Amino acid sequence: MHSLATLLYVREVHGSYAVAGAVSAALLVGTAVGTVVQGRVLDRLGPTRPMLVLVAVYLLCVTGLVLSIEFRAALPLAVAVAVVTGLATPAFEGSSRALWSDLTPPGPRREAAYTYEAISLEIFFIMGPALAAVLVVATPWPGTALVAAATAEIVGTTWFALTAAVRRRSARIRAERADGSLPVEAGLLGVFRRPGLRTVALASLGFGLVAGTAEVGVIAATAFAGSPAAGGLLLSLWSVVSVLTGVLYGMRPSGRGRCTCGCRSCSPASPSW
């Protein structure tokens, strides 16, 4: 909702999808970089205190973003404010996923928890774009959707950071850091020194380029056709298909528990298992 609300807001104020795309892209770039940096901080300090600080900084930044859009600031300034806002956007998703290792035991229950989170995130991808488009079209001020998204971010992150499970995790991380038992990624690249993670990041880059282009292109096409709100609905339908596909993929046999020859008759003691 956040990036699409920003895109639509800038488009309404400036009348240009080029300007809107630049500001929205700057926001997402800042968010991507900020998520990596925040992840390293959260690994060292725990999520509670850093996320509460981020909420305060984010509130100031998103206020500056609204003002820069509302008063038609020069594009370089609007882009700079968007990058900083993205950097300050709390890395909520990563903290949430990491918490499942505390709440569920290894095995099927934890896998089910990760599946639940993935599907719930896709459901929000269904709701967010549609809500953003409706708020922009149906309310007298086009910044309503951005303010609604920022409010949800602030309230949700604060609530999450203050939950008992998150505070317990933060206390444990601080204790492990104090006695030297906490393993952390060293060096400038951190986890990106791992070849497998670099491969995943490169693959995700291609997906991100497609998704980002579609977000701008679909909205522009529906606006040209005379129905701007339809863009949010079409993006939501994309997520509907994504949810269904994810569920079907999760129902597929994973292949684990089979022998290397592909049959189901070998015993676990067999050399080909």
Side-chain angles (χ1 to χ4, degrees):
M1 182 177 180
H2 200 301
S3 62
L4 183 60
T6 303
L7 174 74
L8 294 173
Y9 185 18
V10 177
R11 167 63 181 83
E12 291 295 317
V13 172
H14 287 269
S16 169
Y17 279 106
V19 174
V23 176
S24 179
L27 178 68
L28 292 174
V29 168
T31 302
V33 175
T35 298
V36 175
V37 176
Q38 290 179 40
R40 302 190 70 178
V41 173
L42 296 176
D43 275 346
R44 288 163 171 77
L45 304 179
T48 297
R49 293 177 183 175
M51 293 188 80
L52 292 176
V53 172
L54 281 167
V55 164
V57 176
Y58 171 77
L59 175 59
L60 295 175
C61 292
V62 79
T63 301
L65 179 61
V66 170
L67 293 175
S68 69
I69 297 171
E70 190 68 22
F71 292 100
R72 299 174 180 268
L75 181 58
L77 177 59
V79 167
V81 174
V83 169
V84 176
T85 303
L87 289 170
T89 301
F92 181 92
E93 298 90 340
S95 300
S96 174
R97 293 189 185 101
L99 195 62
W100 287 117
S101 62
D102 295 347
L103 300 176
T104 57
R109 290 185 63 187
R110 187 176 297 176
E111 292 179 9
Y114 286 135
T115 302
Y116 155 76
E117 175 145 341
I119 293 175
S120 67
L121 184 62
E122 285 291 346
I123 291 174
F124 295 133
F125 279 134
I126 295 171
M127 298 169 58
L131 181 58
V134 168
L135 288 176
V136 170
V137 174
T139 58
W141 181 48
T144 303
L146 177 55
V147 172
T151 301
E153 185 88 45
I154 291 168
V155 173
T157 302
T158 303
W159 189 358
F160 175 80
L162 294 177
T163 58
V166 174
R167 287 188 280 111
R168 285 196 301 268
R169 181 178 181 84
S170 298
R172 190 188 74 244
I173 289 175
R174 290 196 299 270
E176 292 176 349
R177 184 168 175 263
D179 63 22
S181 62
L182 177 65
V184 294
E185 296 286 347
L188 180 63
L189 294 178
V191 295
F192 283 105
R193 294 182 302 166
R194 302 181 183 183
L197 189 59
R198 292 198 297 269
T199 301
V200 173
L202 184 61
S204 299
L205 176 63
F207 170 78
L209 289 172
V210 173
T213 302
E215 184 172 270
V216 179
V218 168
I219 296 296
T222 55
F224 181 77
S227 181
L233 297 177
L234 289 175
L235 292 175
S236 295
L237 288 175
W238 186 357
S239 294
V240 170
V241 176
S242 181
V243 169
L244 295 176
T245 305
V247 171
L248 291 174
Y249 181 81
M251 294 170 62
R252 292 175 62 253
S254 63
R256 289 172 295 182
R258 296 185 184 181
C259 60
T260 55
C261 68
C263 75
R264 302 188 183 195
S265 57
C266 294
S267 69
S270 165
S272 61
W273 186 269

